[in-house]
Amino acid sequence: MSLSTRAQPGILANIPAQARYLTCQLRVGAEPQTVLRHLASQADGEHTVIGLGASLVRELGASIPGLKSFQGIDGARIKLPATPADLWIWLRGNDRGELLIRSRHLETLLAPAFDVQHITDAFNHDNGKDLTGYEDGTENPQGGEAHAAALVPESAGPLAGSSFVAVQRWHHHMSRFEAMPRLQQDHTIGRDKDSNEELDDAPNSAHVKRTAQESFDPQAFVLRRSMPWAEGNVGGLVFTAFGHSFDAFEALLGRMSGAEDGMTDALFTFTEPQTGAYFWCPPVANGCIDLRAVGF
């Protein structure tokens, strides 16, 4: 079985039209095994992507090499909230109502052991653009390079095809961004909004320059599957970065946050993360989530 066929298909697929993110906590004293068996049998990894937090894996008496809880970045010059959770579910689809129905079904399924603590609805905006109007994920690896960046390799044995995901919900202060002159907006991102061309004359604080994945040693490629969110008149981005480890994400965030050289990413002039969590996304087998690595 190839590496890509072991991965949850939703990780490698393009972002959907609509999505819903659920973060869940294990109830004190609850036994999660039966609930997780039911969840694994119903989740296909394509329309329902599943991630397990380090605390849940420990509760199961298991260990996944490389899995840990997000605790921020040492030396960061800006606030990076750490909001660990036991279980993360990414519902993918085309109809918001259908996602609501599915999430209610899942909440009932999870209820004997988990509380659904946070729900965020997200969507594909203007063919993959951020709410700022700039294209998101331009430098994403493709094909085999995407598999290499996002998936645990064959050499990992039963963990092959699984993935580690970093999830942050960013809140855009849209009035700050809208108040910027167009050139300042372009220089904040590092690209021309209309053409999406990278700007050579953008300052070193521009987001594109701070996160040039090939400029790290080793190179810091992740597979981004981020989606905008909105509630009332506020919104932002649910940033999701899939990797074969958390190393590349931490290198990127270390530079963005100023921990590497004291310079912070210009993104922080108008947006900030509200959450931060790490999860392990198990592989799939026979169309279902494969939890053998955690003792099932």
Side-chain angles (χ1 to χ4, degrees):
M1 184 178 292
S2 69
L3 193 64
S4 61
T5 57
R6 289 278 287 146
Q8 294 188 51
I11 295 172
L12 300 175
N14 293 331
I15 62 171
Q18 300 285 335
R20 174 168 274 213
Y21 300 88
L22 284 66
T23 55
C24 314
Q25 296 288 3
L26 181 65
R27 292 179 177 172
V28 176
E31 296 290 340
Q33 287 83 353
T34 299
V35 168
L36 288 175
R37 284 192 182 94
H38 290 161
L39 177 63
S41 68
Q42 295 192 25
D44 59 4
E46 179 177 5
H47 301 97
T48 305
V49 176
I50 301 296
L52 278 59
S55 53
L56 177 57
V57 171
R58 286 195 299 271
E59 184 66 24
L60 294 170
S63 176
I64 300 296
L67 178 62
K68 57 186 176 180
S69 294
F70 178 69
Q71 297 180 338
I73 298 292
D74 288 341
R77 299 172 66 91
I78 46 83
K79 185 178 180 181
L80 299 172
T83 55
D86 290 312
L87 184 66
W88 175 74
I89 302 175
W90 178 24
L91 298 179
R92 301 161 42 87
N94 296 314
D95 183 276
R96 189 171 179 179
E98 186 260 344
L99 292 182
L100 169 64
I101 293 168
R102 285 169 56 198
S103 69
R104 288 178 57 82
H105 170 75
L106 282 171
E107 188 170 28
T108 300
L109 183 153
L110 295 169
F114 294 90
D115 290 318
V116 177
Q117 293 201 324
H118 298 286
I119 296 176
T120 299
D121 287 309
F123 50 91
N124 188 336
H125 169 59
D126 196 12
N127 297 312
K129 291 182 180 178
D130 180 68
L131 293 176
T132 57
Y134 290 83
E135 186 174 315
D136 186 61
T138 300
E139 298 294 333
N140 256 340
Q142 303 294 323
E145 293 180 350
H147 300 169
L151 306 179
V152 176
E154 294 284 2
S155 58
L159 297 183
S162 66
S163 184
F164 296 95
V165 64
V167 184
Q168 295 175 304
R169 174 170 141 153
W170 288 68
H171 173 214
H172 293 355
H173 297 274
M174 296 300 294
S175 58
R176 295 182 195 172
F177 189 79
E178 291 162 354
M180 295 179 184
R182 167 62 185 274
L183 181 60
Q184 184 181 354
Q185 293 180 354
D186 284 351
H187 280 182
T188 296
I189 305 301
R191 293 185 181 277
D192 179 83
K193 184 183 291 189
D194 295 329
S195 68
N196 199 39
E197 292 295 324
E198 189 169 340
L199 301 175
D200 292 334
D201 62 345
N204 290 331
S205 62
H207 178 60
V208 167
K209 290 193 174 182
R210 298 302 288 166
T211 58
Q213 296 171 104
E214 67 280 355
S215 68
F216 292 82
D217 185 17
Q219 294 182 346
F221 282 96
V222 295
L223 184 64
R224 288 168 289 164
R225 289 292 184 257
S226 307
M227 298 184 69
W229 65 269
E231 296 174 4
N233 270 342
V234 298
L237 189 74
V238 180
F239 177 82
T240 57
F242 292 93
H244 56 73
S245 74
F246 295 120
D247 293 347
F249 170 75
E250 292 185 347
L252 292 165
L253 191 58
R255 184 178 290 176
M256 288 178 63
S257 65
E260 182 183 274
D261 56 11
M263 179 185 294
T264 57
D265 194 304
L267 283 186
F268 291 105
T269 60
F270 77 91
T271 187
E272 59 188 350
Q274 297 176 316
T275 68
Y278 285 159
F279 302 95
W280 172 68
C281 298
V284 294
N286 301 316
C288 298
I289 304 297
D290 184 353
L291 294 179
R292 285 177 292 181
V294 290
F296 289 80

